[in-house]
Amino acid sequence: MSADGFPDTPLSRRAFLRWGMAAGLGLAWGALFAGGCSRLFQSPLEAAAVDQVERWVYSTCGFCGIGCAVWLGVKGNRLVAVKGVAEYPVNRGLLCVKGIYQFKVVSVPGRAEYPLLRRGSAWERVTWDEALDKVCNAFRRYLDRSHADSLAIYHSSQILLEEDYILAKLGRGALGLRHFDSNSSLCLSSAVEGYVLSFGSDGQPVSFPDVEKADCLLLIGTNMAENHPILFYRLVRAVRKRKPYVAVIDPRRTPTAEIATRHLAVRPGTDMDLLKAMIQVIITEKLFNPAFVEAHTKGFSELAERVRKYTPESVAPRAGVGAEEIREVARAFGRSTAGLIAWGAGVNQSTEATATVNLINNLCLITGNVGRPGTGPLSLAGQCASLSVREAGGTKTLPGMRPFDDEGARRELARLWGVPQDRFPKKTASFPSETFKAIEEGKVKALWIIGSNPAVSMPDTNRFKAVLRKLDFLVVQDCYRDTETARFAHVLLPAAMWAEKDGTFTNSERRVNLVRKAVDPPGQAKPDWAICVLVAERLGFGSLFRFRSSEEIFNEWRRVSAGTIPDMSGMTYDRIRRLGGIQWPCPAADSRGTARLYATRRFPTKDGRARLLIAPAKKTATPNDEYPFLLLTGRILQHWLTGTKTRRIPEVRAEVGVPFVEISPDDARRLGVRNWDPLHIESRHGSVTVRARITTRVVPGQLFYPFHFWTLPANLLIPLATDPLSGQPDVKRIAIRVRRGELGEP
Ligand SMILES: Nc1nc2c(c(=O)[nH]1)N[C@H]1C(S)=C(S)[C@@H](COP(=O)(O)OP(=O)(O)OC[C@H]3O[C@@H](n4cnc5c(=O)[nH]c(N)nc54)[C@H](O)[C@@H]3O)O[C@H]1N2
Ligand SMILES: Nc1nc2c(c(=O)[nH]1)N[C@H]1C(S)=C(S)[C@@H](COP(=O)(O)OP(=O)(O)OC[C@H]3O[C@@H](n4cnc5c(=O)[nH]c(N)nc54)[C@H](O)[C@@H]3O)O[C@H]1N2
Ligand code: SF4
Ligand SMILES: [Mo]
């Protein structure tokens, strides 16, 4: 414990400023191109003991959805360095700081090494047999009792494609679970639903080179500079070379906004108004593409009618940006020859997220910006396996992105798996919007969490902890034993992590690449796929799970994916390695993959046309007399999600070790708060006291709280409110009041 009452290494102000300057200034033009003076893209040699490396193992970065290829430097059974793969098309040898430092998250204290059973408040080390007996006896009890609706699985976009796939086979095909979901439900299920409704299927249509080829880019609710740094680096280079028009739509002046031609500091929660106004301008000024609209879309006249009243003048006061600025951005997009829209969590995490994604898709569709180089709607996938989990049935679709309620697809999947078709549940449930409440109501009694830390990442932290306590039986399967969620578990199963197992990840541009085992897992930890096989065998489904390696699972998956949108039937591990990753669809052994979807302009809807959808905007969090400020949550460069990995990297803890909130100089002055003073923040749902970081990155009236801080989660302040179409919660914005506080104050 530090003097602050925070159980973390206190952050020195100097260190903090250094990071801040690196992230901010270092991202400005000069520094980026001066070559390596930015901490964002520092030399791999700086952090690693490269001279000790005995062998290098090819793999993919285990953090974000950009999917950079890495060489893992190994000495004995330890990872000692990571460096970029020079010839890999995504990163060409570059890595961001997360990528470089990740060798430090593997051999660290806190790893889960042995199966543990809860005995009162203590853990008891047991054998795998004892642990699995306990788990499977419990599961069997719940399965017998109520047709699988009282058992739930919640898994992850941070395990391998192969693991996501066999979990779906177990969850849906063997156990017939309705309550089967992954953390993509907090991350990008709105993007999935938006794609499904507009285009007829999930599947991100764009390739990274399109970001470099576009002559107009809109970046909405994404801080690409800090969260997808290598793609940002590629964008910055293209900006310098080709000078495209870039609009950044974000309430904060992020490092991403530093490169914008126009930064629209939109009022949080008003993106729908803004997008409607842009569509209105494009339609009234006849900047749309009538031939494309006529031939490939449905719903144009209704769209035109419904956006009519959204003039830039009428929207501007609500959205907090000038009418002329809206018009300028709309015209730039309408007149461009290649327009691309990339978006992130600022869009996906809202109660009207799916409807917002549909408007983004509309903008691309009415201007004919789909299926050509440099165009399209690009949902930036968050985690290393965010796409994998979507391919493999970890969202509201069945494996192969098969529609959940399509009888033909169910029949085909049942045949491929050799299970009766009526085994599949009739309905699916989103974890945050349905399973959460089903546990609260006592309907779901047992939960198996694999590769997620929802005690910090789920909204309404205290309510969710009560949910975990209410469970009769909780199994947590994680690579660390000390996560906040593990504290509630009855059984802890130790998982091997990235660099300790073989398999694949699919990145944001549908590129599948190998993830390789470089070192042995600690103690008795096993890969998630191997644990899944053991559970399946004990539950009597061994014949469906005769897998001895990830590659065998991948080979079954290739058959299951054949003919679907994410068709990988033409891939093998060997081809993936030789070709430097392969983008699906890859339907034949001689296919080199597909750069972008919808090149034929035929969409996977019944009539082959994309839908132009428009919904009314809903009320989102707005400040009021009692709670006059708005708090935004999101990420910073140094930390990863709930910090389970990055809290173990000494360099990160030295730089960002205590929770802080960003506040504008004006608000700080008014509240009598100096830099680094304690600030008490209170919403209707909870309160925290954290340090104030005064910065012009946020505008007066708004504060920004990174959600990584596991000791004081931002989610303590945020109630559970979900998008009705995707089930994804709004964890981004909440009305708060603020005053100078005392450290340690609740
Ligand atoms: N360093 C680091 N990188 C990461 C992660 C990490 O934890 N750390 N996480 C990974 C994951 S899982 C994900 S999903 C991605 C997310 O990557 P991003 O989408 O970049 O993530 P955020 O910082 O959460 O939010 C993006 C921006 O949305 C803005 N925003 C908030 N409200 C609104 C709004 O109403 N409208 C608009 N237009 N913008 C708004 C915020 O100011 C913020 O700058 O990052 C991935 N990369
Ligand atoms: N307020 C607020 N809340 C948010 C967000 C926000 O912007 N604001 N963002 C949301 C988003 S986009 C996301 S993606 C979620 C993420 O939230 P979580 O799903 O909780 O993500 P992590 O914190 O990375 O937790 C992943 C867990 O998996 C473990 N793990 C890592 N590798 C493996 C493995 O190979 N096997 C197993 N079994 N375990 C492994 C890690 O130790 C860790 O405990 O948070 C969401 N919550
Ligand atoms: S950009 Fe993403 S994938 Fe690439 S090194 Fe950084 S965290 Fe890893
Ligand atoms: Mo995410």
Side-chain angles (χ1 to χ4, degrees):
M1 277 280 182
S2 74
D4 287 0
F6 292 121
D8 286 321
T9 329
L11 170 74
S12 86
R13 246 194 94 213
R14 245 186 68 230
F16 184 83
L17 289 175
R18 204 147 40 85
W19 270 103
M21 276 168 60
L25 298 179
L27 270 162
W29 293 86
L32 254 181
F33 298 103
C37 63
S38 157
R39 289 294 295 271
L40 263 181
F41 311 106
Q42 75 188 147
S43 151
L45 306 182
E46 189 188 311
V50 175
D51 49 343
Q52 296 176 24
V53 172
E54 291 165 354
R55 61 194 167 94
W56 293 97
V57 178
Y58 179 91
S59 191
T60 309
C61 177
F63 280 117
C64 90
I66 299 305
C68 299
V70 292
W71 288 111
L72 304 178
V74 185
K75 183 186 182 203
N77 191 40
R78 277 180 81 86
L79 268 193
V80 293
V82 176
K83 66 178 183 181
V85 174
E87 61 279 13
Y88 196 67
V90 171
N91 56 314
R92 299 260 171 239
L94 285 171
L95 295 177
C96 76
V97 282
K98 294 187 297 286
I100 288 164
Y101 275 118
Q102 71 189 317
F103 68 92
K104 301 204 171 194
V105 305
V106 178
S107 306
V108 285
R111 286 297 306 273
E113 297 180 42
Y114 303 97
L116 301 174
L117 274 194
R118 169 81 56 208
R119 298 264 188 241
S121 59
W123 284 122
E124 183 190 335
R125 179 173 151 183
V126 293
T127 62
W128 269 104
D129 274 341
E130 286 171 279
L132 289 168
D133 278 346
K134 182 94 182 166
V135 169
C136 294
N137 289 341
F139 284 2
R140 225 175 278 117
R141 223 164 36 239
Y142 295 107
L143 287 170
D144 287 348
R145 216 179 271 165
S146 57
H147 312 294
D149 275 357
S150 56
L151 172 62
I153 295 181
Y154 180 62
H155 69 106
S156 181
S157 315
Q158 291 180 68
I159 55 177
L160 303 162
L161 162 66
E162 291 76 358
E163 298 176 330
D164 284 323
Y165 167 66
I166 63 164
L167 278 167
K169 188 175 180 184
L170 178 69
R172 300 295 202 193
L175 306 179
L177 300 187
R178 172 181 177 192
H179 292 280
F180 177 86
D181 199 1
S182 70
N183 65 359
S184 68
S185 55
L186 295 179
C187 184
L188 38 64
S189 56
S190 303
V192 172
E193 199 61 22
Y195 280 142
V196 170
L197 295 177
S198 296
F199 300 125
S201 170
D202 184 17
Q204 194 287 101
V206 179
S207 267
F208 292 160
D210 295 324
V211 171
E212 294 159 320
K213 288 180 187 144
D215 58 16
C216 178
L217 294 108
L218 312 187
L219 310 181
I220 312 182
T222 157
N223 181 10
M224 201 194 274
E226 292 190 78
N227 301 327
H228 295 109
I230 296 302
L231 186 61
F232 185 70
Y233 173 82
R234 290 176 57 169
L235 170 63
V236 171
R237 277 206 339 201
V239 166
R240 197 183 183 211
K241 212 158 101 198
R242 304 187 53 244
K243 310 217 167 7
Y245 181 96
V246 181
V248 171
I249 300 171
D250 193 308
R252 295 188 303 136
R253 219 193 72 216
T254 58
T256 311
E258 301 286 334
I259 66 150
T261 322
R262 176 65 69 188
H263 172 209
L264 297 182
V266 62
R267 185 164 294 139
T270 61
D271 297 84
M272 281 190 75
D273 290 325
L274 191 69
L275 290 162
K276 284 179 185 172
M278 285 165 52
I279 295 173
Q280 195 270 357
V281 171
I282 286 172
I283 293 179
T284 33
E285 299 192 7
K286 305 228 174 328
L287 299 172
F288 63 98
N289 181 334
F292 189 99
V293 166
E294 176 66 28
H296 307 299
T297 69
K298 201 170 161 182
F300 183 76
S301 33
E302 196 190 342
L303 177 73
E305 178 56 32
R306 290 184 55 185
V307 295
R308 208 144 50 136
K309 62 175 197 267
Y310 289 87
T311 59
E313 282 69 21
S314 71
V315 162
R318 268 202 309 281
V321 290
E324 267 321 300
E325 292 174 328
I326 301 177
R327 208 166 258 120
E328 176 195 303
V329 176
R331 285 176 180 155
F333 195 75
R335 288 179 183 148
S336 67
T337 51
L340 184 146
I341 309 180
W343 79 91
V347 169
N348 291 334
Q349 297 171 344
S350 106
T351 51
E352 50 188 21
T354 304
T356 313
V357 174
N358 290 138
L359 293 175
I360 290 173
N361 294 339
N362 291 350
L363 262 175
C364 290
L365 286 164
I366 62 168
T367 50
N369 277 310
V370 179
R372 282 185 296 118
T375 69
L378 163 60
S379 151
L380 289 162
Q383 304 155 81
C384 46
S386 280
L387 255 276
S388 313
V389 94
R390 285 153 65 178
E391 293 150 8
T395 60
K396 290 206 293 191
T397 58
L398 292 168
M401 296 181 175
R402 290 174 168 91
F404 200 81
D405 49 8
D406 180 325
E407 275 308 309
R410 285 174 168 243
R411 208 174 312 120
E412 182 189 39
L413 194 60
R415 181 180 53 76
L416 285 162
W417 278 349
V419 299
Q421 195 182 324
D422 61 7
R423 180 74 56 72
F424 298 141
K426 292 205 169 48
K427 284 191 184 154
T428 179
S430 142
F431 192 95
S433 65
E434 290 161 82
T435 311
F436 188 125
K437 290 171 197 153
I439 301 171
E440 227 165 21
E441 289 160 7
K443 292 180 186 149
V444 167
K445 296 179 189 301
L447 171 62
W448 182 9
I449 297 177
I450 301 151
S452 182
N453 187 19
V456 179
S457 53
M458 199 63 73
D460 217 337
T461 308
N462 286 333
R463 183 172 160 200
F464 187 69
K465 284 184 176 171
V467 160
L468 292 177
R469 269 187 224 105
K470 173 137 194 176
L471 285 162
D472 287 356
F473 192 66
L474 173 64
V475 189
V476 169
Q477 183 168 312
D478 205 286
C479 52
Y480 301 110
R481 63 170 182 273
D482 55 2
T483 73
E484 289 62 34
T485 308
R487 285 179 201 154
F488 296 85
H490 299 101
V491 177
L492 182 91
L493 300 180
M497 70 186 295
W498 169 88
E500 294 168 348
K501 53 188 177 182
D502 288 318
T504 58
F505 289 150
T506 312
N507 80 350
S508 224
E509 59 166 359
R510 292 171 280 104
R511 185 179 299 276
V512 182
N513 198 29
L514 296 183
V515 179
R516 283 258 115 114
K517 178 173 170 179
V519 293
D520 291 327
Q524 295 173 2
K526 292 180 192 293
D528 294 284
W529 66 261
I531 303 173
C532 177
V533 168
L534 290 171
V535 170
E537 281 169 352
R538 264 164 214 262
L539 292 175
F541 298 102
S543 61
L544 299 174
F545 291 83
R546 295 202 197 286
F547 303 111
R548 280 156 307 162
S549 69
S550 278
E551 193 161 4
E552 289 184 2
I553 301 170
F554 187 79
N555 287 336
E556 176 175 305
W557 159 249
R558 288 167 55 202
R559 288 195 296 281
V560 169
S561 76
T564 68
I565 301 259
D567 190 331
M568 295 191 204
S569 54
M571 296 185 195
T572 60
Y573 277 11
D574 187 48
R575 290 195 77 219
I576 293 170
R577 176 68 183 93
R578 273 190 288 117
L579 294 183
I582 305 178
Q583 288 173 282
W584 57 254
C586 172
D590 58 355
S591 159
R592 301 180 74 84
T594 311
R596 58 191 67 79
L597 302 183
Y598 312 138
T600 61
R601 319 285 193 275
R602 201 181 155 76
F603 297 97
T605 52
K606 284 211 176 76
D607 56 8
R609 288 163 180 271
R611 303 290 186 260
L612 297 170
L613 300 167
I614 177 162
K618 284 200 309 283
K619 221 170 145 342
T620 55
T622 36
N624 49 56
D625 289 348
E626 232 182 314
Y627 297 92
F629 292 86
L630 205 54
L631 184 77
L632 302 180
T633 78
R635 300 156 164 74
I636 51 172
L637 171 70
Q638 298 87 342
H639 270 298
W640 177 252
L641 301 175
T642 68
T644 56
K645 286 180 176 171
T646 42
R647 67 178 76 164
R648 289 168 227 274
I649 303 177
E651 289 81 354
V652 169
R653 286 185 68 129
E655 305 276 2
V656 186
V658 296
F660 70 86
V661 68
E662 293 183 349
I663 184 169
S664 74
D666 280 6
D667 287 337
R669 204 173 313 114
R670 228 170 299 134
L671 295 168
V673 169
R674 284 162 313 164
N675 212 15
W676 230 235
D677 277 352
L679 205 57
H680 186 262
I681 301 172
E682 190 184 347
S683 76
R684 247 182 238 290
H685 299 271
S687 62
V688 294
T689 302
V690 292
R691 301 282 185 162
R693 199 206 146 203
I694 301 174
T695 167
T696 51
R697 274 196 183 191
V698 286
V699 298
Q702 292 174 20
L703 288 83
F704 177 73
Y705 188 22
F707 90 104
H708 313 290
F709 301 116
W710 54 99
T711 53
L712 287 171
N715 284 320
L716 277 168
L717 306 167
I718 298 179
L720 177 66
T722 52
D723 173 26
L725 292 173
S726 66
Q728 182 164 351
D730 180 346
V731 286
K732 267 275 167 291
R733 34 196 104 65
I734 181 82
I736 51 163
R737 56 183 172 221
V738 183
R739 60 171 166 79
R740 207 182 176 290
E742 294 296 328
L743 284 180
E745 190 183 359

